[in-house]
Amino acid sequence: MRGLINYFSGMFNGIISLVKGMGVTGKYFFTSPVTIVTQQYPENRKTLEMFDAFKGEVTMPHNENNEHKCTACNICQINCPNGSIEVVSKDVVNEEGKKKKELDKHHYNIGMCSFCGLCIKTCPSNALAWGQEFEHAMFTRNKFVKTLNNEGSKLIQKKGVE
Amino acid sequence: MEFNIYDFTSFTKWIDESLNAAMSPFWVMITEMAIIGVAILAFYALVGLFLVYAERKVCAFMQNRVGPNRVGPFGIFQTIADLLKLLMKELVYIKNADKLLFNIAPFIVITASFLAIAAIPFAKGLHAIDFNIGIFYVVAVSSLGVIGILLAGWSSNSKYSLIGAMRSGAQIVSYELSVGLSLITMVILSGSMQLSTIVEAQANGWFIFTGHIPAIIAFVIYMIAATAETNRGPFDLAEAESELTAGFHTEYSGIRFAFFFLAEYMNMFIVASIAATIFWGGWMPFHVPGWEGFNTVMDYIPPFIWYIGKTAVIIFIMMLFKWTFPRLRIDQLLTLEWKYLLPINLFNVVLMAFIVLMGWHW
Amino acid sequence: MAEIIQDIQEQEYLINMGPQHPSTHGVLRLVLSLRGETVLSVQPHCGYIHRGIEKMCERLTYQQIIHLTDRLDYLSAHINNHAVCMLVENALGVELPERVKYIRTIMDELARIASHQLWWCSFGMDLGALTAFFYGLRDREPILDIFEESTGGRLIQSYYTPGGLMKDIHPGFQKRVKDFIKMFRKKINEYDQLLSGNVIMTQRTQGIGILTEEEAISFGVTGPSGRGSGFECDIRKHHPYSLYNKVEFKEILRTEGDSFARYSVRMDEMRESLNIIEQLIDNIPAGDFSVKMKPVIKLPEGEYYQRVEAARGEFGVFISSKGEKYPYRVKLRSPNFSNLSALHSIAHGQKIADLVAIGASLDYVIPDIDR
Ligand code: SF4
Ligand code: SF4
């Protein structure tokens, strides 16, 4: 007798649990499309905004006079665990006749970057920042190597020094 | 000839007569077979493609997704694009596979599902053939598909396929019983095996209402067993993708794979339309005895729409099953059949016979 | 004839599950020998995604190691980093500001929830309930947004650094976390309706794949999988670090040791993590987000070990230092590797479908196994 009771109660509990589950999926079916969470990616490109902190790529912000803050100190290159930064500097002689190191090219290989953020955190002059660009796919690998400083850009001269 | 969307009998008769007037009976038969063949083929392709699309949309909505939305408005041409892609794909041959059986298997599966359509009454007078043993024929024919699945699994020379095929064999052989018995319950109620008679008998109320509790139990059992017969989730052990990658059709590619895929959806359509025909009155409109006005309004809806609507609802329920439940294990599957469904079913048959004897139906 | 039949009955049916297989969650290869559907033995073959992280660490400074421990068990990236950072801080005797501890604890628990959510998805998927997969991913999204807003990364954050954090949390952090807690408390009940109570699911997991407590201890199975067998191994409770001795939480234990026990331990852990976060989120003190460290960290000569409770079990870092800026030797104790070793003794004698469920309940992440 007990076995019989167990047989039927097991069956009914099972059926109830199944119906509950169907209730969940059914609810979402009938409340869609309100509950849809998918982002329509290529279509929403215009309105898509990444968070400020988003680590898209390493960039070197320039001001309106095409000036950046990099002093070519090489610290970012030393700190990068993957060797994806190469700082090329050149020596220039300023008006006073002193030799000074200046940034020539700041190469950044995004293909080797693991977005650890050490370069940005350790840069003593805050010359680097995260960019929000995330569509990085390229057809050839050498396009991954970017030069972060713009053509003909200069170091920002601190006020009061000259 | 008058064309009437409420009754196709005169239409089909007119075709038959005009053909008979033109040629000898032998050629009439050949032509009619060809016409029906083409019609069913077109219907088959259309329904198959639509069902694939519908399933993807339904499951997407259940899962808070959008579903296919790239090809055409709301992605309605997505399945056509997929079909074209599958047509162009390479047919990969497996080393040491049994070539003949490997090639034949998808055709067996698709033919088996094809045969069953012939007997289904879509509307009054709109069926290819009206056997007096219609139910028997449908059950017999729809279980042929398992041969194709077994062959596919065996001939692929793949271990995953073989396991899938073994599972499928055990599963379909057992669930065939439940399908048969639950249909027999309804045959007892209707007193006929002819599908057209069964539909006519439901003019005053569908069997699921007039058959009291046994009819409801039979319907539930039929739904479970039919889902299992079509190898759909939660009974998709034969292809269980998280266990066997793709089960019996692991090694198939291109259009041969598409055949298996299409056959699965057509089988779903067929079992759903049988359920609609036998439990929910087929193309018969919804009638409540005594409510004359209501009944006439219902009669204005063409039978074909009724039929499609009912089938769609049942297909939706089957989709809800698939997208809600986890998969069973093979021994639990057999336990469900032999320990639960079969005894209940046998008891149900007796109960139904008793009710019919006492004249409590109607 | 009788001989042939006997021969067939004794034959084993060898199957390679993986390296490409939907339910191994990555490039893990399991060699199964079957008789019919019954699994006779399981031999895991790992190494398909071995990257030599331990060796690479010997050429990296302590700050740089962080970006590699991220990539071990990527689902509990924060927690792995926590271990390395704490090791360095303890070795140097750095006292951390309270704010850092609060944020780290909250982030750890968020990572644990996100990881368990993903486990729940793939558990559902392995059992064949595909819808569960999408619900889990859907509810994981807010956590990833929280991470992204504050740390900049969704999966790999590299947020902790020896001495504190990379940057401060976003001003909207608290509100987002609170919204998430409110939302997820509702959704987790839905999970129960959809999967936990489901009769098919319980039939497939209860009494299946039993790991006894002795076995769990001898194989070193830790984390939710070990606690499902009654093995009290929650590092947060028994060797508290960060703020875990200040917050109140229960160590979830089940004694059945079957797949369902492991399942319910994880479900309850998600709720417990929500409680922990709730206790902390309103009290984050103001202050610095990191202490000033020397640009080149040199650990004093010696050997150090630090362990934390990652989402899948005990994660330990052993560093042997010769007083240089690079570690001399790094050894990582990854929870998944030990958990995987128990697979054979759990799964032999079960059905092949159960093996999938057992694998799902052990919740392995392959890059953590291979390192
Ligand atoms: S970017 Fe910063 S760290 Fe790198 S060279 Fe320039 S100033 Fe130095
Ligand atoms: S983010 Fe890390 S890996 Fe990328 S360039 Fe900077 S230091 Fe190198």
Side-chain angles (χ1 to χ4, degrees), chain C residues 201-218:
Chain C
M201 146 84 188
T202 46
Q203 292 281 320
R204 291 259 333 244
T205 49
Q206 276 173 350
I208 304 293
I210 292 180
L211 176 74
T212 60
E213 190 179 350
E214 289 82 56
E215 274 179 322
I217 293 173
S218 60

Side-chain angles (χ1 to χ4, degrees), chain B residues 134-143 171-189 192-193 198 218-219 221-227 229 271 274 278-279 337 341-342 345-346 348-349 352:
Chain B
I135 291 184
F136 186 63
Y137 168 79
V138 167
V139 170
V141 150
S142 63
S143 56
Q171 178 181 339
I172 295 191
V173 168
S174 343
Y175 277 83
E176 200 58 44
L177 269 171
S178 278
V179 170
L181 276 175
S182 58
L183 290 182
I184 281 179
T185 319
M186 302 316 286
V187 169
I188 293 175
L189 180 62
S192 163
M193 275 198 174
I198 291 178
F219 176 66
I221 291 177
Y222 179 82
M223 285 303 290
I224 298 172
T227 319
E229 257 218 8
V271 295
I274 292 171
I278 291 178
F279 296 96
E337 163 65 22
L341 296 189
L342 193 65
N345 224 334
L346 287 172
N348 199 27
V349 172
M352 180 58 99

